Amino acid sequence: GFTLIELLAVIVILGVLLAIAIPSVSKYISTSKKSTYVSNAQSYVDAVINESLLSNYLPVNQHEGTILSFARIRDLMQKGGKTSPYGSDFVADKSFVLIVNVATAESPVYKYYITAIDQDGYGIGEGNTSSLIEYDELKSTNIVQLGKGSGTSIIAKGETIDVKYKNETVKVTVTDIVQ
């Protein structure tokens, strides 16, 4: 058999291994959820890109924008994203894609911005605040725990919302909202 000392040594070694492994596994799970959140957000934007071309939701004039809510585009998605990777539904009035014409009506250039927050308070943001992030700039570090009840809400038609474009803040007038 084993002596008490040998059993205690094995238990101590297992305890040390667990103390090292648990934080590593937790960090891996967190990183995986953030990557999945980004992938789901990108899927929403991809669905909006396809839908906007088919349904003519594209804004006409410079610095005009069209909002498409997650509720509107959820059924159009080809993969993923019905809920957040944290297991919660997205908050309806705080999860949307904004299409912005950053050029002229004659030669439009469209940029896609996204914001999302789930019912557990995880969302897209910078630092501790929710914000609209350009599709091309979205990365895992933009997934933060914002807290329940926070987040950028869908604004009314005719109001303005600030977005960053080429390191400058641009005021965008919302001309259409599709929910």
Side-chain angles (χ1 to χ4, degrees), residues 99-119:
I99 309 169
V100 177
N101 181 0
V102 294
T104 63
E106 296 78 26
S107 301
V109 174
Y110 301 105
K111 292 292 179 183
Y112 298 83
Y113 295 83
I114 186 167
T115 188
I117 189 166
D118 68 19
Q119 292 177 346

Side-chain angles (χ1 to χ4, degrees), residues 78-94:
Q78 294 179 5
K79 61 176 184 167
K82 304 292 182 188
T83 61
S84 84
Y86 296 94
S88 296
D89 290 332
F90 290 103
V91 178
D93 68 332
K94 296 178 189 251

Side-chain angles (χ1 to χ4, degrees), residues 95-153:
S95 302
F96 59 92
V97 176
L98 173 67
I99 309 169
V100 177
N101 181 0
V102 294
T104 63
E106 296 78 26
S107 301
V109 174
Y110 301 105
K111 292 292 179 183
Y112 298 83
Y113 295 83
I114 186 167
T115 188
I117 189 166
D118 68 19
Q119 292 177 346
D120 288 334
Y122 289 95
I124 296 173
E126 294 178 311
N128 292 334
T129 59
S130 168
S131 58
L132 283 157
I133 304 291
E134 186 179 347
Y135 173 70
D136 298 332
E137 302 293 322
L138 187 61
K139 49 192 173 284
S140 293
T141 55
N142 295 123
I143 309 305
V144 294
Q145 188 165 15
L146 300 165
K148 292 182 180 182
S150 61
T152 303
S153 294

Side-chain angles (χ1 to χ4, degrees), residues 32-44 85 114 124 135 138-143:
S32 176
K33 284 182 178 181
K34 287 181 179 185
S35 295
T36 303
Y37 206 114
V38 168
S39 178
N40 288 352
Q42 289 170 333
S43 293
Y44 272 97
I114 186 167
I124 296 173
Y135 173 70
L138 187 61
K139 49 192 173 284
S140 293
T141 55
N142 295 123
I143 309 305

